[in-house]
Amino acid sequence: MGGLNKKEYVPVSNNVVINWIDERLPIFTMLDKEYGRFPTPKNFSYFWNFGAIAMMILIIMIVSGIFLAMNYVPHTDHAFNSVERIMRDVNYGWLIRYIHANGASMFFVAVYIHIFRGLYYGSYKKPRELLWMLGVVILLLMMATAFMGYVLPWGQMSFWGATVITNLFSAIPIVGDGIVTWLWGGFSVDNPTLNRFYALHFLMPFVIFAVVFLHVWALHVTGSNNPSGIEPKTKIDTVPFHPYYTVKDSFGAVVFLAFFAFFVFYSPNILGHPDNYIPADPLVTPAHIVPEWYFLPFYAILRAVPDIALFGYTIMSAKLAGVLAMFGSIGVLFFIPWLDTSPVRSTVFRPSYKPFMYLLVVSFLLLGVAGAKPADDLLWLVIGRLSASYYFFHFLVIMPLLGSIEKTPKLPDSIHAYYQEKKESKKKLLSLLAIMAVALSFALPASKAKAAGASIDIPKQEWSFNGPLGTFDRPSLQRGFVVYQQVCAACHGLDFIAYRNLTEIGLTELQAKAIAAQYMVQDGPDDEGEMFERVAKLSDRFVNPYPNEKAARYANNGAYPVDLSLITKARPQGSDRLYALLTGYVEAPADVVLGPNMHYNKYYSGHQIAMPAPLAEGMVAYDDGTEATVEQMAKDVTHFLTWTAEPKMEERKRMGFKVMIFLIVFAGILYASKKKIWKDVE
Amino acid sequence: MSGTTPQSNQSPSAKTRKARYKTPEQWKTKPKKASQRRDFLYLTAGAMAAVGASSVAWPFIDSMSPAADTLALASIEVNLAPLDPGQTITVTWRGKPVFIRRRTKKEIDLAREVDVLRLPDPEEDKERVQKDEFIIVIGICTHLGCVPLGQKPADPKGEYKGWFCPCHGSHYDTSGRIRKGPAPTNLAVPPYEFVSDTKIKIG
């Protein structure tokens, strides 16, 4: 091109159009330089896949989030309902929401592994300090984004999570309370809070994207670190990024997608909390407030810190100290490029540092479990304190000290030399991954079991909808509807189900119309401005037995018969629990004093329940001649209420089957491609 | 993808130039299996990526189509009893205005005495009404979606005494048919039925 910037243009391809564009805006030259020929150490392990995987998930989150935003309503009156509308009525809404909800977890899985890799192989050391610090900024932004996103469904955990986390800022001396009021835009978490969280939750991913761009830019200046921690010296140490790492990253990404898809299609709610399927209630806090799993270690640090006293005087309250420790646990990461004094990057060549590195991982996992335990669990409080102490000890003492006193073996001459002995280190890596997998599989259920807080054993039942291929049993659904209609509907609403939905349980449209016609709904105003009653239509939601909550409480001695649409999703082990509850009414033991209007149920927590035993032998007459025993009715109505909670379950599992097969085959083909491409390097 | 494998033991110029033309022996020898399988692999991988990407796109695109509750949106009932001849009402159905006009004898005659074949969108008035007196149309101009005037007594009704769209000057007659102006088709007639002599259900 002309002018001062005149330079001989070197064509980038054989295509005239591409060259024409490239000469004016060198996108293709840049791509070729940074992703085509970009020299990359040839000895990456699969740990090096997680940056690309995290990038992929960021894009998945942004896309699915934008489509959710098209249907979500950020208002306290509509947020919960609009999410349920996405789950039930919007085409593939359930899929997009489950992708987004589980995608947040997957993002943290990928990023935590990515961070571990950086720590283990010393990727934060000179000259990659800024690259690492930008990564910590991304982590902080992700945490803020995830937190605000979790508030949006406006369930119980959303509301109380928002309340607790915003209250952290009240720990700041003097101005703390003012800041909290400012964050809320009111005197409690309310509509203004929800609105601003929505706006920020929409904005932040794009900020993350921008910082990721800087992160990648910095990476392409310094080049990647590698398992040996040695810089590439000659050409034989590296391979061009394409096709070697494009194919390897693609393979890793598809394997990770299969892992991701398993959650989306087969356990979409396992990483969430049942309480979040209960609409937000500012008057009732859930028994155990537990953050999402990816915040548990930090939550444990927050709770681990006691009052800090000096000569018997409290110089810092536990509240402030906990908040400082929690933010400090991330803040310390900014400084590790200088805290670590070792001249050797990779832990592989730091035998005396290695055990401490593992200890750090263990303490982090233990913190995760401790964070899920109830606040009164003393054993785990101690474990949490020890782990939190080690976490800081590692960064503030081990790192600076060990670096200057440790003895390290002689480093290999080059990446190539190291690569030749790769097989052995590959084995080590596998065992490391295996250790992490075992530790995680131990930590996750351990945190889960107590989080449920269930001291009562709920017996497991056989359900046709269990398992990855499970389906609803249509006759049971229809019988269950009869039980609901004739028994439960006297007090309990089913607000998220419309009469038209009854065709999904196998009723014909005429039957559904006839059922709707049994109910009257208020409509209007008519031409004269008057409200009027009319017969319910297919498009109407189930008519609630009470006009509002006050009326419902008044009619039931102050107890509120909850809406049953989501009941099996809003309780741990929901379907089994509901069945147990319905069949759990027994004579109260002699030593139990029941409150007024209370009834004894062996499966209800506290054993005292306001609802009298709802089912009795032969209470309903089944059309199909099934005998209406209490167990049969309980089973049928539970079946029905499992469907009302998750009407798209069958569609979800069917689609999941296809997606899993596709991803597994695709991964196989990419693996074969990868083998072929890498053959000449190996 | 760079598909060339390093061929180290082959001297460059002479041999490769020759290789552009196959010798009879080369025609007989089968091509290398390995490279063939490799190309097939890459093609399959690329094809699967394309199939995967487009199958993922569909749920997102379809999520923007009307949702189940929107599609199920109720029909509405309208009481026509208060309407005198010459009067109109506008009701909302599926978020759109529906014009209902109880036509006078004169207006019915106006609609019937036209030579239908000379209309821009030929349609008999009888095909557009269920009862001669009541013309029921969706009040959205078929040109670009404005709401035509003509429902209020003081509104301009256009040259053909029906409706007049102020946006780009489309004239509709007393049967809601386009007579003059840029609109291509007649005002649409919504699905409706008379549930009694004076009551209709739209939708």
Side-chain angles (χ1 to χ4, degrees):
Chain A
M1 296 264 110
L4 288 170
N5 297 323
K6 194 170 180 176
K7 235 190 251 171
E8 191 65 37
Y9 175 68
V10 186
V12 70
S13 92
N14 298 325
N15 187 313
V16 191
V17 179
I18 287 181
N19 285 339
W20 185 89
I21 296 171
D22 194 57
E23 193 172 353
R24 286 151 184 84
L25 184 69
I27 292 175
F28 298 100
T29 298
M30 187 272 280
L31 282 177
D32 181 52
K33 179 168 169 269
E34 304 298 342
Y35 290 101
R37 286 174 290 132
F38 190 63
T40 314
K42 65 179 178 181
N43 61 333
F44 281 179
S45 66
Y46 278 105
F47 270 126
W48 264 259
N49 278 66
F50 287 92
I53 287 171
M55 182 75 188
M56 169 184 77
I57 297 174
L58 174 62
I59 291 165
I60 291 175
M61 292 303 279
I62 289 179
V63 171
S64 57
I66 285 171
F67 280 85
L68 285 179
M70 292 179 192
N71 288 295
Y72 172 74
V73 185
H75 187 286
T76 50
D77 291 347
H78 305 290
F80 190 90
N81 293 359
S82 71
V83 171
E84 277 309 311
R85 181 174 171 270
I86 289 170
M87 293 297 291
R88 290 155 195 273
D89 288 333
V90 173
N91 302 318
Y92 299 104
W94 60 268
L95 173 66
I96 300 174
R97 175 166 177 257
Y98 279 153
I99 287 176
H100 199 72
N102 288 286
S105 284
M106 294 303 127
F107 204 178
F108 278 97
V109 168
V111 160
Y112 280 149
I113 295 175
H114 189 62
I115 293 173
F116 167 76
R117 195 234 35 218
L119 282 172
Y120 191 86
Y121 295 105
S123 301
Y124 47 84
K125 287 191 192 180
K126 197 186 167 190
R128 299 188 179 83
E129 303 96 322
L130 199 57
L131 172 60
W132 168 264
M133 290 163 79
L134 285 166
V136 182
V137 171
I138 294 170
L139 175 65
L140 276 172
L141 289 170
M142 271 176 67
M143 292 175 126
T145 311
F147 158 66
M148 288 190 281
Y150 195 57
V151 176
L152 302 185
W154 208 241
Q156 272 290 66
M157 280 296 177
S158 299
F159 182 88
W160 291 100
T163 302
V164 169
I165 300 299
T166 48
N167 264 318
L168 291 181
F169 293 90
S170 70
I172 302 169
I174 305 164
V175 292
D177 287 331
I179 288 178
V180 174
T181 309
W182 174 76
L183 283 174
W184 289 341
F187 301 105
S188 64
V189 173
D190 208 337
N191 202 47
T193 328
L194 179 61
N195 267 286
R196 62 190 60 183
F197 278 18
Y198 177 61
L200 292 172
H201 183 71
F202 206 115
L203 167 73
M204 299 274 271
F206 298 97
V207 178
I208 293 179
F209 201 88
V211 184
V212 167
F213 178 79
L214 297 179
H215 187 70
V216 173
W217 187 1
L219 172 76
H220 280 246
V221 173
T222 61
S224 297
N225 186 25
N226 65 81
S228 73
I230 310 165
E231 293 292 325
K233 287 170 188 149
T234 54
K235 229 178 159 187
I236 199 164
D237 291 337
T238 64
V239 290
F241 192 82
H242 179 75
Y244 295 99
Y245 284 115
T246 38
V247 74
K248 195 176 176 185
D249 279 348
S250 306
F251 168 63
V254 170
V255 170
F256 194 85
L257 279 178
F259 174 72
F260 186 174
F262 178 82
F263 282 95
V264 169
F265 292 105
Y266 295 111
S267 305
N269 293 306
I270 201 164
L271 297 168
H273 300 291
D275 283 287
N276 225 26
Y277 282 108
I278 304 171
D281 182 352
L283 303 181
V284 184
T285 310
H288 295 290
I289 306 204
V290 185
E292 292 290 84
W293 69 266
Y294 39 81
F295 290 141
L296 287 174
F298 304 99
Y299 188 62
I301 292 176
L302 172 79
R303 296 196 307 185
V305 185
D307 282 333
I308 295 174
L310 201 63
F311 307 122
Y313 295 99
T314 302
I315 52 167
M316 192 187 277
S317 67
K319 186 174 172 181
L320 178 56
V323 171
L324 289 179
M326 189 179 74
F327 284 107
S329 65
I330 303 206
V332 71
L333 297 177
F334 280 106
F335 300 99
I336 62 169
W338 297 277
L339 287 169
D340 187 350
T341 52
S342 170
V344 179
R345 278 207 193 101
S346 176
T347 306
V348 172
F349 300 112
R350 300 181 62 189
S352 47
Y353 179 64
K354 203 179 272 178
F356 293 106
M357 192 64 222
Y358 288 137
L359 208 53
L360 179 71
V361 175
V362 169
S363 73
F364 193 70
L365 290 174
L366 284 176
L367 277 170
V369 181
K373 299 290 173 188
D376 52 4
D377 192 324
L378 285 180
L379 172 68
W380 277 97
L381 182 66
V382 173
I383 296 175
R385 282 182 178 170
L386 287 173
S387 304
S389 307
Y390 180 73
Y391 181 89
F392 286 102
F393 185 73
H394 181 94
F395 291 119
L396 297 175
V397 181
I398 304 276
M399 266 194 172
L401 221 59
L402 198 67
S404 49
I405 57 171
E406 73 185 336
K407 291 241 178 354
T408 51
K410 189 182 168 295
L411 297 182
D413 292 332
S414 67
I415 290 176
H416 180 67
Y418 177 71
Y419 186 70
Q420 298 305 326
E421 342 157 353
K422 175 184 72 149
K423 270 185 187 134
E424 206 176 323
S425 60
K426 221 178 195 175
K427 240 184 242 163
K428 276 183 198 159
L429 257 173
L430 278 177
S431 60
L432 185 68
L433 272 177
I435 290 169
M436 284 181 60
V438 169
L440 268 178
S441 59
F442 167 77
L444 278 180
S447 63
K448 204 82 195 166
K450 265 291 156 74
S455 51
I456 303 164
D457 260 341
I458 301 294
K460 277 204 186 320
Q461 305 295 327
E462 288 286 320
W463 299 106
S464 67
F465 49 75
N466 282 346
L469 296 171
T471 53
F472 291 120
D473 173 27
R474 290 290 175 290
S476 182
L477 286 180
Q478 292 173 24
R479 288 195 300 269
F481 167 68
V482 173
V483 177
Y484 167 75
Q485 196 192 18
Q486 297 187 12
V487 184
C488 320
C491 302
H492 292 279
L494 211 52
D495 288 351
F496 292 112
I497 301 294
Y499 294 107
R500 67 187 153 85
N501 296 128
L502 289 174
T503 56
E504 294 162 37
I505 64 168
L507 299 184
T508 63
E509 197 167 306
L510 273 178
Q511 287 171 314
K513 264 186 185 155
I515 288 164
Q518 299 168 10
Y519 298 91
M520 298 298 283
V521 293
Q522 200 182 43
D523 201 350
D526 63 8
D527 298 341
E528 288 153 28
E530 300 291 327
M531 300 304 281
F532 60 92
E533 294 250 303
R534 62 162 172 79
V535 162
K537 294 181 289 202
L538 283 181
S539 56
D540 287 314
R541 299 289 172 98
F542 271 35
V543 176
N544 199 292
Y546 301 106
N548 52 55
E549 188 183 328
K550 290 258 165 63
R553 282 191 189 280
Y554 184 73
N556 290 283
N557 297 315
Y560 178 50
V562 293
D563 189 86
L564 295 181
S565 312
L566 284 162
I567 198 76
T568 53
K569 256 160 102 178
R571 303 284 183 275
Q573 306 142 270
S575 301
D576 291 338
R577 183 172 296 261
L578 179 60
Y579 177 81
L581 182 89
L582 290 173
T583 53
Y585 284 89
V586 289
E587 203 59 44
D591 56 331
V592 173
V593 183
L594 287 174
N597 299 314
M598 295 304 260
H599 308 271
Y600 190 85
N601 189 304
K602 58 180 169 173
Y603 293 119
Y604 193 67
S605 70
H607 298 303
Q608 298 204 25
I609 182 168
M611 175 172 77
L615 300 172
E617 297 292 315
M619 211 169 183
V620 300
Y622 283 138
D623 285 345
D624 61 1
T626 309
E627 202 188 332
T629 61
V630 170
E631 285 76 20
Q632 184 65 41
M633 287 185 288
K635 199 126 205 176
D636 290 338
V637 79
T638 303
H639 210 106
F640 175 68
L641 291 174
T642 307
W643 169 77
T644 62
E646 185 88 1
K648 302 288 181 192
M649 184 208 74
E650 289 173 331
E651 191 185 343
R652 187 185 83 216
K653 288 179 177 173
R654 266 201 308 273
M655 186 190 282
F657 188 72
K658 288 184 229 160
V659 170
M660 293 307 290
I661 299 249
F662 176 86
L663 287 174
I664 289 166
V665 171
F666 193 15
I669 287 185
L670 283 172
Y671 185 71
S673 306
K674 191 222 134 196
K675 275 277 165 205
K676 287 274 169 197
I677 287 173
W678 278 82
K679 206 170 161 193
D680 49 336
V681 177
E682 283 166 3
Chain B
M1 276 177 214
S2 80
T4 49
T5 42
Q7 295 170 324
S8 50
N9 52 358
Q10 223 171 13
S11 79
S13 58
K15 268 191 182 173
T16 40
R17 205 172 301 146
K18 242 184 214 169
R20 286 167 71 184
Y21 309 97
K22 284 186 175 175
T23 59
E25 296 84 67
Q26 279 173 319
W27 278 111
K28 279 174 203 156
T29 55
K30 285 176 188 169
K32 276 182 192 165
K33 264 190 184 162
S35 71
Q36 215 179 30
R37 185 162 59 224
R38 176 151 134 190
D39 290 343
F40 177 71
L41 253 182
Y42 300 160
L43 277 177
T44 315
M48 285 195 84
V51 168
S54 46
S55 338
V56 168
W58 174 246
F60 286 91
I61 294 166
D62 195 35
S63 77
M64 293 172 72
S65 312
D69 59 335
T70 311
L71 288 175
L73 255 195
S75 47
I76 54 162
E77 285 189 2
V78 185
N79 185 8
L80 303 178
L83 275 181
D84 287 330
Q87 285 188 329
T88 61
I89 49 170
T90 307
V91 296
T92 315
W93 174 68
R94 287 191 164 171
K96 290 185 280 199
V98 173
F99 293 164
I100 302 173
R101 181 183 292 188
R102 182 165 186 184
R103 299 187 290 189
T104 57
K105 180 82 182 48
K106 204 178 141 206
E107 284 172 326
I108 300 171
D109 292 343
L110 258 178
R112 298 261 157 115
E113 64 199 14
V114 191
D115 179 2
V116 171
L117 291 175
R118 302 184 63 176
L119 296 180
D121 181 12
E123 208 178 353
E124 292 281 358
D125 180 62
K126 276 187 178 152
E127 292 165 17
R128 297 175 53 81
V129 294
Q130 289 182 19
K131 288 190 176 179
D132 290 353
E133 275 189 300
F134 293 102
I135 174 73
I136 298 163
V137 290
I138 293 177
I140 292 188
C141 181
T142 56
H143 180 218
L144 291 170
C146 297
V147 178
L149 297 171
Q151 286 295 89
K152 288 183 196 142
D155 277 355
K157 291 187 167 61
E159 286 174 29
Y160 300 88
K161 304 286 178 239
W163 290 273
F164 170 70
C165 182
C167 291
H168 306 95
S170 290
H171 299 255
Y172 296 92
D173 66 11
T174 53
S175 188
R177 291 172 300 198
I178 179 66
R179 300 293 288 272
K180 187 182 168 189
T185 56
N186 302 332
L187 293 178
V189 178
Y192 69 92
E193 55 180 314
F194 277 85
V195 286
S196 72
D197 268 359
T198 57
K199 215 174 207 181
I200 55 163
K201 189 173 129 192
I202 304 177

